[in-house]
């Protein structure tokens, strides 16, 4: 058995994970807590760490089972083959996410400078600061090929 990454419909990650679990498929949807602002209040909500992605652990011959679930779009491919995620990487992500809140201080951080993430799921990753606002930092993580937003 191996871990595979599934691409889901937008905002369907938690629903897809629940539906896959009902089919007795080992599924992991990494979630983080974010504080969201509504017009009348602030609220902490659980959101997926990786939007539109869910991980499943199953045998290669059973990969078609996931398409029985509404919201599953396709598998993530790497070099023409379904991308296989190592058990160690999934466990590392689970360990990182045990701390539910990521905090940081914005002190003298300027666009173009190098910034190391001090805590949370991407702890230790270094990125180039793209944008700094009062409440967030936008980082480009070239090693991972992505841009992330860190909220204060």
């Amino acid at each position: 058995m191996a871990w595979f990454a599934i691409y889901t419909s937008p905002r369907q990650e938690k629903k897809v994970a629940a539906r896959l679990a009902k089919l007795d498929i080992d599924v992991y949807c990494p979630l983080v807590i974010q504080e969201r602002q509504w017009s009348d209040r602030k609220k902490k909500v659980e959101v997926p760490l990786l939007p539109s992605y869910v991980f499943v652990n199953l045998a290669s011959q059973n990969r078609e089972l996931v398409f029985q679930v509404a919201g599953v779009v396709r598998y993530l491919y790497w070099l023409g083959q379904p991308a296989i995620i190592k058990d160690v990487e999934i466990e590392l992500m689970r360990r990182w996410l045990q701390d539910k809140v990521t905090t940081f201080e914005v002190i003298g951080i300027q666009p173009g400078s190098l910034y190391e993430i001090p805590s949370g799921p991407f702890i230790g990753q270094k990125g180039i600061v793209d944008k700094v606002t009062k409440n967030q930092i936008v980082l480009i993580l070239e090693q991972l090929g992505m841009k992330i937003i860190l909220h204060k």
Side-chain angles (χ1 to χ4, degrees):
M1 293 193 8
W3 286 98
F4 297 96
I6 295 177
Y7 185 75
T8 68
S9 299
R11 297 177 164 250
Q12 295 293 306
E13 304 88 347
K14 291 194 281 186
K15 291 177 185 175
V16 166
R19 292 174 188 146
L20 289 169
K22 282 184 182 179
L23 292 176
D24 290 327
I25 294 175
D26 188 10
V27 62
Y28 179 54
C29 179
L31 300 171
V32 293
I33 296 175
Q34 283 187 349
E35 191 171 273
R36 297 280 173 99
Q37 176 71 49
W38 275 263
S39 60
D40 60 339
R41 68 189 185 284
K42 286 184 179 180
K43 186 175 179 181
K44 291 184 179 184
V45 293
E46 237 180 5
V47 297
L49 174 66
L50 305 168
S52 296
Y53 288 98
V54 172
F55 302 101
V56 292
N57 187 16
L58 41 78
S60 292
Q61 64 268 22
N62 295 333
R63 285 190 310 112
E64 295 301 314
L65 292 174
V66 300
F67 294 110
Q68 296 175 12
V69 171
V72 172
V73 176
R74 62 181 168 82
Y75 279 98
L76 180 68
Y77 278 76
W78 176 256
L79 299 175
Q81 298 290 324
I84 295 176
I85 293 91
K86 296 175 186 171
D87 291 338
V88 175
E89 292 170 333
I90 296 292
E91 283 307 311
L92 186 60
M93 196 179 316
R94 286 183 178 175
R95 215 171 324 124
W96 281 342
L97 293 176
Q98 285 176 349
D99 299 329
K100 290 288 184 181
V101 180
T102 301
T103 59
F104 66 93
E105 281 185 59
V106 178
I107 300 174
I109 299 171
Q110 300 296 321
S113 63
L114 193 63
Y115 181 78
E116 184 173 336
I117 300 172
S119 63
F122 293 103
I123 189 169
Q125 290 287 329
K126 292 180 182 174
I128 298 170
V129 178
D130 186 40
K131 179 178 162 187
V132 179
T133 66
K134 181 180 175 185
N135 296 318
Q136 68 186 24
I137 298 174
V138 179
L139 278 182
I140 299 170
L141 300 178
E142 291 178 347
Q143 309 92 323
L144 300 176
M146 63 173 50
K147 191 184 271 194
I148 63 169
I149 300 172
L150 303 173
H151 296 276
K152 186 171 185 180

